[in-house]
Amino acid sequence: MNNQSEDEFLQDLPLILAGPILQHTEPKSVTVWVALKQPCQVELKVYETINNGTVLGNSLLEGRRSTVALGKSLHVVAVTAQSTGRECLISDRIYAYDLLFTNQTSHQQSLQQALCSNRFPNVNISYFEHQKPTFVLPPSRLQDLRIVHGSCRKPHGDGFDALPILDCLIEEAANQPEQRPHQLFLTGDQIYGDDVAAPLLWVSSMLGDALLGWEERLPVTQNKPRDASYHTPKQLPPGQRVEVATYQAGFTAGLHNKEAKVASHLLGLGEYYASYLLVWSPVCWPTTFPRGREMMGGSKTRRLWDREVREMRQFIHTLWKVRRALANVPVYSIFDDHDVSDDWNLNQAWCLRVLGRPLGQRTVQNALLAYAVSQAWGNTPNQFAAGQPGEKLLAAAQDWSASQGTDIAAYNAIARYVGMPPTNPRTSLPEFVQDGAVLVLERHPEALTWHYTVRSHCHEVIVLDTRTWRGYPADDKPTAPPMLLCPQAFEQQLSLPLQQTPEIQATLVIAPTNLFSLKVIDWIHHWQLRRDKVFAADVGDSWNIHTEALAKFLTTLFEQRQQVVVLSGDIHYGSVVRMSHVGTSSNSQAQSVLVQLTASAMKNEETITRIIHTRLKDWILPEKVRRWSGWSNPLNMVEQKPRESRRDRQLQMKPDWYCALEWIPRQNTRKPYFGANIPWLITTKQQARNDKWRWLQRLMFWKFPWFQEGREVVGLNNLALVQFELADASKPHKAIQDLYWFSPWYPTQIVYSRFDSQLVPNQSLYWLGSTSKLEQ
């Protein structure tokens, strides 16, 4: 792209720009997402296999759908194959699928032909000789279930990308239906709209314009009459977007002396579209990057550019494994803030600041449209069927691009279907509606719902949208922490799904932001809240900052389930915590347990997370058991202070329930069979640098395996594999999370840490089973 015109660059690319990505998969329907450079009708067929995936059998499911023209050279489809008769996919079997592409002149390309071009002559997205991607449904037995999850994947983040490890996990057990991963859940920050590397924005801007075939006119404020009222993305170059992102769009990521976070913020629709193609596929990346001296002004920014280019090259180097993995396991996702921008909908102040500005509103809408067509379509394909809001959104997106960004009716329709709040004509601020004691951003009745539930014979996964259904306190200041789910959202997203399958073996809930984090993080959040610097540390994103909402979350869950597993991310470390819960009334003395499995980040480790990864955290600030008293009317919970006197407890109204939180220790590091001296991980230049400085390894005591054996968290880039162990044939006994990461003592080695938590309340906690002890 650097030395080629846009047309020449696109001509060198294969038909498939990104994908195929296997998405929502059920016994009678399978959905596959793909992005193409030309319009096509795409036909999907799902086949049974013989000899555990090695030989293709009969076609079982079929479907076809035409692509949606999101731009002149960007045509996207999530095609669903369905059963035409009694055919039905079953558990514990390997299935394969194939795609056929027919263009407007009736010319056809097979999947293999569509993957290849002169620049990419050999592309393999299969683990078998037949070269077709494969998958398995969740098993019939819970103890055979394998779920992978992860979050926070920033292309220029520190450390190696952990998502390629998924390819290793699938490849290791490709012909073993009970052992290979059955589902992947991406729990937030699949892309970063803020904190974008300058070279990545350079690629995204050029690629976005090439894909759209037109330049978007972004609305900016006129400070002087002669100032332009619109700018195209190319007129806002990398490294020079601090002013426009912070003060024209209103984004908060650059506040508190963090201008670098927004210096290359995504703004244009094409940039958001391009970001998804770039994080999931190596196809659209240029072969060469310009040098820092050609792109940036100062010596510091030039050096930063060159360093980020090296990081991009390392990221691109392993993307082929990411692409193959995503084609061979059902992928489900939900957004968090960085999929739009840091602090997205954090509190009412953020909504007023950003959604009250034309550029802020346009950018959020661009991000949501890109998420809808790149992720939500495959999560919930029924919403995009004929006559549904999703299909209307696709039509509006097509009209908006065909008009080159001038069709106001199409723009307004996009806003309606992605759930953008209407703007008050008098104040130019977003509209809110009352929901009990909180305010919620108003949304059109036909707006897409981003939350959903996935079920199998043995488990259910309830995926929460904790960003667009927040409840902002009506009688508090705009920066006050919100309910992450307003009362209406609790009913729709949690209560109703829990009522549908009471006999399910395992219930998992996806909560993109943590219910509970490290104690020191809570201290920082409360300190920043008192200083009203809520944007500095995402104050309000953790559930336990708003105790009434957390109490409602726990009581809603435990009214229907006694064992719950929560999958979470966001926090840039991996861990496992267990909450034991017991009622006090004679009518309700049930004991329940919630286990939170956190996996973060896939690629965004930081200095502080590297420190807490080690034994140093255990020595200086170990996590202790935390206890709460809770009440049902009104809902609330209060943490018991370690030095709280017996008299203080007796003065409180008798609690309706108690709960206690403990951190599950990580076991000693293990080595997977595929993890030693892996040749695919690093580039040739990186290998040469490693060899040059390997003699220093013996002097770096902090990288020694013994020092890296921390007790509570994995603070390096990681990916989680979740399994269950049963005590008997019906009741789950243990939830096991294996966190895979790259060893610092030998950089081309993958290791994993096991966290093993019983799915029963901890009877050793002094109050459990006899609440009177607490009151004595």
Side-chain angles (χ1 to χ4, degrees):
M1 197 174 348
N2 191 22
N3 299 315
Q4 293 178 301
S5 69
E6 291 177 354
D7 288 340
E8 291 174 333
F9 175 76
L10 290 169
Q11 286 175 3
D12 283 347
L13 302 183
L15 174 63
I16 300 179
L17 303 178
I21 298 178
L22 180 64
Q23 295 212 260
H24 195 99
T25 302
E26 296 178 331
K28 290 195 173 184
S29 70
V30 172
T31 298
V32 175
W33 180 92
V34 66
L36 311 178
K37 70 176 183 180
Q38 296 174 357
C40 286
Q41 185 185 71
V42 182
E43 183 178 359
L44 169 65
K45 289 187 177 182
V46 177
Y47 297 88
E48 63 180 351
T49 68
I50 304 170
N51 295 334
N52 289 326
T54 57
V55 179
L56 294 182
N58 297 323
S59 172
L60 301 178
L61 310 181
E62 296 182 8
R64 58 180 56 84
R65 187 161 183 172
S66 296
T67 54
V68 174
L70 300 178
K72 180 182 176 182
S73 300
L74 179 60
H75 303 267
V76 173
V77 68
V79 56
T80 299
Q82 296 179 317
S83 174
T84 57
R86 295 184 178 180
E87 293 84 359
C88 185
L89 309 185
I90 60 175
S91 301
D92 311 315
R93 300 284 181 88
I94 296 177
Y95 297 96
Y97 68 88
D98 196 10
L99 296 167
L100 181 67
F101 305 90
T102 306
N103 66 15
Q104 294 174 324
T105 63
S106 299
H107 175 70
Q108 293 186 333
Q109 288 192 49
S110 66
L111 174 57
Q112 196 59 35
Q113 290 171 329
L115 288 168
C116 299
S117 67
N118 291 334
R119 189 176 153 200
F120 299 93
N122 299 303
V123 178
N124 183 20
I125 58 168
S126 176
Y127 303 99
F128 297 95
E129 290 186 5
H130 53 61
Q131 297 188 329
K132 301 293 186 290
T134 55
F135 65 93
V136 290
L137 293 182
S140 53
R141 303 192 313 165
L142 183 62
Q143 60 265 41
D144 295 326
L145 181 65
R146 304 287 187 272
I147 290 179
V148 178
H149 72 112
S151 66
C152 306
R153 186 165 170 258
K154 186 168 69 174
H156 71 288
D158 286 349
F160 294 123
D161 184 9
L163 190 53
I165 296 174
L166 173 60
D167 183 69
C168 299
L169 293 172
I170 301 174
E171 185 175 33
E172 180 186 29
N175 63 349
Q176 303 172 55
E178 294 179 353
Q179 295 297 318
R180 63 183 282 174
H182 301 105
Q183 293 173 330
L184 167 66
F185 288 92
L186 302 174
T187 60
D189 301 339
Q190 280 70 258
I191 66 167
Y192 274 67
D194 63 295
D195 200 2
V196 180
L200 178 55
L201 179 61
W202 174 76
V203 176
S204 297
S205 290
M206 290 200 302
L207 177 61
D209 284 348
L211 295 173
L212 290 179
W214 51 278
E215 293 184 289
E216 184 177 5
R217 300 168 72 230
L218 298 168
V220 296
T221 304
Q222 290 179 280
N223 296 319
K224 299 177 182 178
R226 293 184 179 180
D227 289 349
S229 57
Y230 294 90
H231 284 308
T232 66
K234 284 182 180 177
Q235 291 173 321
L236 302 168
Q240 300 180 36
R241 294 188 174 186
V242 174
E243 175 74 21
V244 69
T246 304
Y247 301 106
Q248 301 261 6
F251 292 120
T252 56
L255 300 178
H256 308 297
N257 300 316
K258 295 182 179 180
E259 290 85 358
K261 299 287 187 179
V262 293
S264 298
H265 200 297
L266 302 182
L267 299 171
L269 178 61
E271 293 172 347
Y272 276 98
Y273 282 155
S275 294
Y276 284 105
L277 305 188
L278 294 170
V279 300
W280 287 338
S281 170
V283 169
C284 291
W285 285 92
T287 54
T288 60
F289 286 85
R291 301 293 298 273
R293 62 174 178 266
E294 302 170 27
M295 299 297 296
M296 311 304 283
S299 59
K300 183 178 179 180
T301 55
R302 290 174 181 174
R303 290 195 300 271
L304 177 61
W305 173 283
D306 290 335
R307 188 179 78 235
E308 289 177 337
V309 166
R310 290 194 296 270
E311 291 166 346
M312 292 297 100
R313 291 192 182 282
Q314 175 59 49
F315 180 78
I316 299 165
H317 183 69
T318 57
L319 269 179
W320 68 274
K321 289 183 75 67
V322 171
R323 188 186 200 188
R324 182 166 71 166
L326 298 183
N328 286 272
V329 63
V331 180
Y332 302 90
S333 63
I334 188 62
F335 47 50
D336 201 16
D337 57 344
H338 293 289
D339 296 276
V340 176
S341 180
D342 189 29
D343 303 327
W344 173 40
N345 288 354
L346 178 68
N347 49 39
Q348 189 181 14
W350 191 96
C351 299
L352 295 170
R353 175 186 171 96
V354 176
L355 301 179
R357 289 172 164 87
L359 182 57
Q361 188 181 64
R362 168 68 68 87
T363 305
V364 172
Q365 182 165 319
N366 284 343
L368 281 175
L369 176 57
Y371 173 83
V373 299
S374 302
Q375 298 191 65
W377 190 354
N379 290 333
T380 56
N382 289 340
Q383 285 197 102
F384 292 78
Q388 297 301 310
E391 187 197 42
K392 298 175 184 177
L393 172 65
L394 298 176
Q398 200 161 239
D399 292 342
W400 176 246
S401 187
S403 72
Q404 299 191 1
T406 61
D407 188 337
I408 301 302
Y411 180 81
N412 291 336
I414 293 171
R416 181 163 63 248
Y417 295 121
V418 299
M420 293 293 292
T423 300
N424 187 300
R426 295 193 308 263
T427 63
S428 297
L429 296 175
E431 294 277 18
F432 294 84
V433 294
Q434 193 91 20
D435 186 10
V438 297
L439 298 174
V440 184
L441 286 170
E442 186 177 348
R443 60 200 297 140
H444 193 274
E446 282 196 287
L448 289 170
T449 54
W450 310 114
H451 61 275
Y452 56 96
T453 301
V454 179
R455 292 190 174 92
S456 77
H457 295 299
C458 67
H459 80 305
E460 63 181 349
V461 183
I462 300 171
V463 183
L464 302 179
D465 164 15
T466 59
R467 284 286 163 189
T468 71
W469 285 91
R470 294 190 167 195
Y472 306 108
D475 57 353
D476 207 339
K477 57 187 178 183
T479 54
M483 297 179 69
L484 298 188
L485 293 177
C486 67
Q488 183 183 359
F490 266 111
E491 179 68 19
Q492 293 188 11
Q493 297 193 35
L494 209 54
S495 296
L496 291 177
L498 288 170
Q499 293 169 11
Q500 292 179 18
T501 51
E503 301 301 325
I504 203 75
Q505 286 181 267
T507 294
L508 296 93
V509 177
I510 305 288
T513 57
N514 271 225
L515 301 180
F516 306 99
S517 19
L518 295 170
K519 183 67 174 179
V520 66
I521 293 178
D522 286 351
W523 289 341
I524 293 171
H525 281 183
H526 285 291
W527 180 59
Q528 297 283 36
L529 184 60
R530 288 193 296 270
R531 300 169 66 219
D532 207 29
K533 290 191 174 182
V534 295
F535 299 118
D538 294 343
V539 177
D541 266 351
S542 290
W543 280 82
N544 60 332
I545 293 296
H546 196 296
T547 54
E548 293 89 345
L550 178 59
K552 184 169 180 60
F553 183 87
L554 295 175
T555 54
T556 302
L557 284 175
F558 294 145
E559 283 173 357
Q560 301 289 334
R561 303 286 189 274
Q562 289 187 282
Q563 299 168 331
V564 179
V565 174
V566 173
L567 305 184
S568 191
D570 179 58
I571 208 68
H572 297 182
Y573 62 75
S575 64
V576 174
V577 297
R578 176 172 57 176
M579 168 167 277
S580 301
H581 180 281
V582 63
T584 62
S585 68
S586 57
N587 295 329
S588 176
Q589 291 186 338
Q591 297 180 9
S592 307
V593 63
L594 179 149
V595 176
Q596 175 183 273
L597 311 179
T598 303
S600 178
M602 284 189 283
K603 195 179 191 303
N604 203 8
E605 66 189 48
E606 302 165 290
T607 300
I608 187 63
T609 64
R610 295 191 193 103
I611 292 173
I612 65 174
H613 176 87
T614 67
R615 290 179 180 265
L616 196 61
K617 165 70 167 62
D618 310 333
W619 296 337
I620 297 175
L621 203 64
E623 297 298 316
K624 299 179 180 179
V625 174
R626 299 170 65 180
R627 296 178 173 86
W628 286 265
S629 302
W631 295 266
S632 300
N633 190 21
L635 276 166
N636 198 9
M637 56 192 294
V638 175
E639 186 169 3
Q640 300 168 11
K641 306 301 181 184
R643 297 181 181 178
E644 187 178 38
S645 69
R646 187 183 307 167
R647 177 176 173 80
D648 291 335
R649 295 176 186 172
Q650 290 173 344
L651 290 175
Q652 295 178 355
M653 183 176 66
K654 182 182 177 181
D656 297 309
W657 45 270
Y658 297 109
C659 59
L661 184 76
E662 58 184 321
W663 286 72
I664 304 300
R666 89 184 205 209
Q667 300 175 9
N668 289 339
T669 301
R670 308 181 187 188
K671 297 177 184 178
Y673 126 89
F674 57 78
N677 196 26
I678 43 182
W680 52 264
L681 179 60
I682 57 179
T683 63
T684 304
K685 289 185 178 180
Q686 181 67 42
Q687 181 66 57
R689 280 195 293 271
N690 284 357
D691 293 341
K692 180 179 179 180
W693 298 107
R694 183 160 291 175
W695 62 275
L696 279 176
Q697 289 289 115
R698 297 180 181 179
L699 305 178
M700 299 179 182
F701 71 90
W702 59 89
K703 290 190 175 184
F704 287 1
W706 176 84
F707 189 68
Q708 292 292 323
E709 290 285 10
R711 176 176 172 81
E712 295 157 346
V713 306
V714 169
L716 307 181
N717 292 339
N718 59 82
L719 187 74
L721 175 65
V722 177
Q723 307 169 61
F724 293 90
E725 182 179 297
L726 301 191
D728 53 49
S730 61
K731 187 177 181 181
H733 183 235
K734 288 183 180 179
I736 299 171
Q737 174 165 266
D738 292 333
L739 281 173
Y740 290 81
W741 43 284
F742 298 98
S743 67
W745 58 89
Y746 193 81
T748 56
Q749 182 181 75
I750 298 171
V751 296
Y752 70 94
S753 298
R754 172 159 291 186
F755 296 81
D756 187 329
S757 174
Q758 291 188 352
L759 279 172
V760 292
N762 187 348
Q763 298 288 346
S764 67
L765 296 177
Y766 71 93
W767 50 264
L768 200 56
S770 179
T771 58
S772 61
K773 291 182 181 180
L774 186 65
E775 297 160 7
Q776 292 175 356

